[in-house]
Structure formats: C-alpha cells, structure tokens
Amino acid sequence: MLEKLAKQTAVYGISTIVVRFLSYLLTPYYTRIFEQGTYGIVTDIYALIPLVLTLLTMGMESSYFRFSAKAEAAGGDVDAAKRRLFATTWGATSFAALLFLGAVVLFRNELSEAMGAAYVAHPEYVVWVGGVILFDVWACIPFSRLREQGKALTFVGFKALSVLLNVALAFVFGMMGLFATDFGVGWVFVANLVASAATWLLILSTVDGVVPKIDRRLLWQIFAYSLPLLIGGLAGTANEFIDRQLIKYLVPMTGDPMAQLGVYGAITKIAVVMMLFYQMYRLAAEPFFLSNFKKSEFVEMNAAALKYYVMASMLIFLGIALFRDLFALIVGRDFREGIFILPVVLGANVLAGVWLNLSFWYKREERTSLAIVVTGTGLVATLLFGCWLIPLWGYYGAAWARLVSELAMVAVSWWLNRRFFPTPYAWGRIGEYVVVALGLFFLGEWIAERAGSVVLRYGVNMALFVGYSLYLIHRERIDVKALIRSAVSVGR
C-alpha cells in the first residue's frame, strides 16, 4: 500500500516539479523588473487569494474525497451517486464564487482603501483578482474529481498549461513594456486571469456532461462534514499567509513595510523545493489516506509515512539551507538581503508536512471539528508572536512567528492523536533524524564562518549533505537499487 502512495507521490511530484518550476520562473523575472515595494503588492495579493479560495471552496475538496469513498462502500449505483456528489459540490462552490465576484465589483473602491494606499489609485486591481478567484473556484471541484479518479497526468497537464500560459503572457507583457505603464503591476493579474479562464474552459471537457446542480439533502450532509474543515481551513490558511499582512501593518512606516513584504515574499519563494515536496505529497496522500482502509492498515501506513516524510524533508532542508547563497541568485539583487531567514522558513515548511500527516486520522474518522483546534492554535500563535516580533525584527520576526506557529500545531496535533487515536509513530527515530540534520547544519555554519575559501566551504557542505544521505540509507537499510527500479516503473 505504501508503494502505491510512493508511486502516486512520484507521479504528482515529477509533474508538479515541472509545473511549479515554470511558475517560479516568474519570481526571478518579477524581482528583476519590479522594485521591492511594487513586488510587495504581488506578494500581498497572492497571500490573500488562498484565504478567499479556502472560504469559497468551503472544505468541499476533502468532502468530495470522503463522500466518494462512502459511495463506493455503500454499493448500488456508485456512478450515479458520485455524479450527484460532483454536481452538488461543484454547484455550491460555483454559486459562492459568483456572489463573491459581484460583491468585489460593487465594493471595489472600499476594498482598495481597506487594503492600503498602494491600491487606492488602482481599484481595478481587486476586480481583476476577483476574476482570477472566480475561475479558480469554478475549476476546483473538477480538479478534485480528477484526483479522486487517479488521473494524475490529466490533472497536472491542465495545471501545466495554465502555468505555461501565465508565464508566457507575463514575459510577453514585459517585452511590450506594459509593466512600465501606469497600470503597471496590474498586468500580472491580467495574465493570471487569462490563464485561469483558459484552464476552466479546458477542464470542462472532463466533467462527462455533469452540470452544477445542488441536491439540498446531500448538501446538508456534506456541510455537516465540511463546515469544521472550512473553519479550520480558514484558520490554517490565514495562519499560513497572515504573516504577510502583519508585515504590512506592523512594520513602522520608516521601515518601508511594502518593501519588506516584497523581500519576505521573494525569500519564501526560494524555498521552492521544500514546498514542491510538501505539495506533491499532499496531493497524493489526501485521497490515499481518506480511502476505505481498515483501521489497522491506516494506522500502520500513516505511522510509516510520517517517518519517511521527515527523512525526505530534512534531506531537502539540508540541501537548500547549506547552499542558500546559491539559491539566493534566484531572486533579484535587491531582494537577496533577506536570504538569512531561509533556514527558518524551511523549518516551518517541514513542520507543516508533519501536522498534515497528523491530521489524516480525524478526517478519516469524520471528527473534522478537531481541525479548528489545531489551526486555531496556530493562528493564535502567529498573531501573538507576530505582533511581538515583527515590530522589532521586521520580516525576520515574521519568519520566526511562522515557525513557532507550525510547531504549536504539531504539538496540539500530537496530543490529539495520543488522546483519541493512538498511532505508533516512530518519534524516537524521527527525532533522531531531525537532530542529526540540524547538528550537521550548525556544523556547516560554524565551518563556513572560519573557512577562508569558498571552494572549501562548498566542499564541506557537500560532504555533510552526502554524509546525511548515506546515514539515512544505512539507518533504514534502504535498498537503493530497488528504490530506483520502483521509481523507473512509475510511468509504466
């Protein structure tokens, strides 16, 4: 079973790496054509979009996976049940998105004033972004259906086309000189809107004639499951992105908050590999673990999955953190001043994957109200530490607030798991891998301060990275040849 999860993760992973790599081409591009404050607008907007998407999708993605599994378990006309489920969840989210866009158009001036001085001169920015959100929500449930059906290549293919179109338009707009016009950064949102609309039109080809149509009785059942996920998801998404808003409002004006926001956004983008791994794992693991496994199978697989996740993520952590000055070249010269926060950002991303693993049991057991406890704790931690540290340290304080928040969510998730659904996670082994990786990182930092040669420093860091890899292979008795054969067979 874990081999199936590994293969699904690899399929999503290889494809997602390609898609995300294309998307991240915009980071070095934008950080070289925009000033820090202007790129701060991009960071600000793309921190707000996930929050709105979470609100409008209403936890329906996880609900779709869970109710699809229940339809299969119930038997009967499974296909008809799944079509009704698809039509209902798609209809509910589509209607919510349409209402949202209407409100954005109607109150665009008020929204622009609330978002800050940078938006007052261009209230049309929020309208274009509202259009992006509309099409993304309209496509959300059809994309979830592709994941539930195991059509990973189709899923990623459509995502890739969307990103390609977005990136291509951004470069075309740049060559046309549009970013230098008065509308300026607004063309970033126009490119995204065109790509999102095109993706929605493409994905309509996969819906098999189903149209959005709400079955009220089914919708109430879905809401009973998804409402806690919605509340928890809002808290979780707010927690993930509110650090950007705190920078905007808590950094003193003398510190140029939009410029600091731009630097922070650029540096968090450098953690691309870690986020790619987290995203590809989530895409594969969520439908996998919400399937109808026996409790004993679920417990065994979830325990093993967390250990291997931590192994892989700490390896990625070392690979990026030890060579962060090279990764800094991804962004423009004006943004590299913030590269020192990268290890903290990476650590937060590792912890995000840990509590993701610890969340599967309560989604499976339909105790989704516990998501509110976990993400609510994280949000409170972000607000408390953000309000304390950001006025003192700026974006460095935001990075630490995020790390503390993720750590708090891991702690609460661990306690809930021990209390309600004991799972034999190999905490001793997991802790060992984390401590060894951090020890090697600090050793590399200590040597770097004393190394007189760049070649020597890189040589030592490479030796540390390779040494950690060999240590993991030896400690887990990993058959590297078998692992390579399995990876090669993924696409067959």
Side-chain angles (χ1 to χ4, degrees), residues 8 12 57-74 78 81-82 85-86 89-90 139-152 155 159 218 222 225-226 229 279-293 356 360 363-366 368:
Q8 288 179 355
Y12 279 113
T57 54
M58 299 177 287
M60 293 289 178
E61 287 184 283
S62 293
S63 298
Y64 183 79
F65 297 136
R66 186 58 185 154
F67 278 78
S68 292
K70 292 176 72 172
E72 291 178 354
V78 175
K82 286 190 175 184
L85 171 65
F86 176 50
T89 51
W90 192 20
C140 177
I141 300 301
F143 271 121
S144 296
R145 184 169 181 256
L146 290 176
R147 289 169 61 193
E148 187 272 329
Q149 293 175 335
K151 297 180 179 178
F155 173 92
K159 292 284 187 179
L218 177 59
I222 294 171
Y225 178 84
S226 68
L229 289 178
Q279 288 293 335
M280 73 185 194
Y281 180 78
R282 184 185 66 81
L283 288 171
E286 190 170 43
F288 178 82
F289 280 117
L290 294 183
S291 299
N292 282 305
F293 292 118
L356 172 71
F360 290 131
K363 292 180 181 179
R364 178 185 183 274
E365 297 296 304
E366 300 187 11
T368 51

Side-chain angles (χ1 to χ4, degrees), residues 178-489:
L178 296 179
F179 291 128
T181 64
D182 182 61
F183 189 60
V185 73
W187 289 104
V188 172
F189 312 130
V190 173
N192 198 338
L193 175 59
V194 173
S196 294
T199 304
W200 174 71
L201 290 173
L202 278 173
I203 206 166
L204 289 180
S205 64
T206 70
V207 301
D208 299 327
V210 178
V211 296
K213 184 179 180 181
I214 297 174
D215 181 320
R216 293 185 181 180
R217 183 176 179 181
L218 177 59
L219 184 61
W220 283 116
Q221 296 175 24
I222 294 171
F223 268 135
Y225 178 84
S226 68
L227 185 58
L229 289 178
L230 167 60
I231 299 172
L234 283 173
T237 307
N239 177 52
E240 186 175 353
F241 292 100
I242 202 171
D243 49 357
R244 280 75 159 175
Q245 299 303 305
L246 293 177
I247 291 173
K248 187 169 70 171
Y249 293 111
L250 294 180
V251 170
M253 292 303 295
T254 53
D256 197 352
M258 291 306 290
Q260 289 213 28
L261 182 58
V263 173
Y264 184 71
I267 298 303
T268 56
K269 288 284 189 180
I270 295 178
V272 52
V273 179
M274 183 66 75
M275 287 309 297
L276 286 175
F277 177 65
Y278 170 80
Q279 288 293 335
M280 73 185 194
Y281 180 78
R282 184 185 66 81
L283 288 171
E286 190 170 43
F288 178 82
F289 280 117
L290 294 183
S291 299
N292 282 305
F293 292 118
K294 294 179 181 179
K295 181 177 179 179
S296 58
E297 293 177 336
F298 173 86
V299 166
E300 180 183 354
M301 290 185 296
N302 191 232
L306 177 58
K307 182 182 69 172
Y308 289 115
Y309 171 85
V310 170
M311 289 169 57
S313 60
M314 292 311 297
L315 193 63
I316 295 169
F317 170 87
L318 274 182
I320 301 175
L322 290 174
F323 299 95
R324 61 185 179 277
D325 52 340
L326 295 179
F327 281 91
L329 300 176
I330 294 174
V331 300
R333 187 180 302 275
D334 293 342
F335 296 81
R336 296 170 195 167
E337 64 183 53
I339 195 62
F340 66 95
I341 72 169
L342 186 58
V344 182
V345 174
L346 290 170
N349 291 342
V350 171
L351 292 172
V354 173
W355 75 261
L356 172 71
N357 273 277
L358 295 173
S359 74
F360 290 131
W361 75 266
Y362 59 71
K363 292 180 181 179
R364 178 185 183 274
E365 297 296 304
E366 300 187 11
R367 302 187 63 174
T368 51
S369 59
L370 295 178
I372 302 172
V373 178
V374 176
T375 55
T377 299
L379 180 57
V380 170
T382 300
L383 290 172
L384 289 177
F385 282 86
C387 290
W388 173 32
L389 296 176
I390 291 174
L392 297 175
W393 297 344
Y395 57 75
Y396 187 46
W400 274 104
R402 172 79 186 282
L403 179 67
V404 172
S405 171
E406 298 289 352
L407 184 60
M409 287 191 286
V410 169
V412 172
S413 298
W414 171 83
W415 182 83
L416 290 172
N417 179 266
R418 288 288 300 270
R419 175 69 176 80
F420 299 109
F421 198 87
T423 303
Y425 295 113
W427 291 115
R429 187 68 63 90
I430 290 170
E432 175 187 327
Y433 295 151
V434 172
V435 169
V436 171
L438 291 177
L440 292 176
F441 167 71
F442 287 116
L443 176 61
E445 292 294 285
W446 184 82
I447 293 174
E449 291 179 359
R450 291 158 177 78
S453 166
V454 174
V455 174
L456 174 62
R457 177 157 54 90
Y458 286 159
V460 169
N461 286 346
M462 181 58 70
L464 293 174
F465 178 77
V466 172
Y468 187 68
S469 303
L470 295 175
Y471 157 73
L472 292 178
I473 292 171
H474 173 74
R475 196 75 173 89
E476 290 293 323
R477 295 184 173 86
I478 297 173
D479 187 339
V480 178
K481 292 182 179 179
L483 189 64
I484 293 174
R485 286 196 299 268
S486 179
V488 170
S489 68

Side-chain angles (χ1 to χ4, degrees), residues 19-28 269 272 275-276 330:
V19 172
R20 294 285 182 172
F21 175 76
L22 292 171
S23 178
Y24 279 104
L25 287 176
L26 293 176
T27 299
K269 288 284 189 180
V272 52
M275 287 309 297
L276 286 175
I330 294 174

Side-chain angles (χ1 to χ4, degrees), residues 116-131:
Y119 301 92
V120 173
H122 293 284
E124 66 273 21
Y125 285 177
V126 298
V127 176
W128 288 106
V129 174

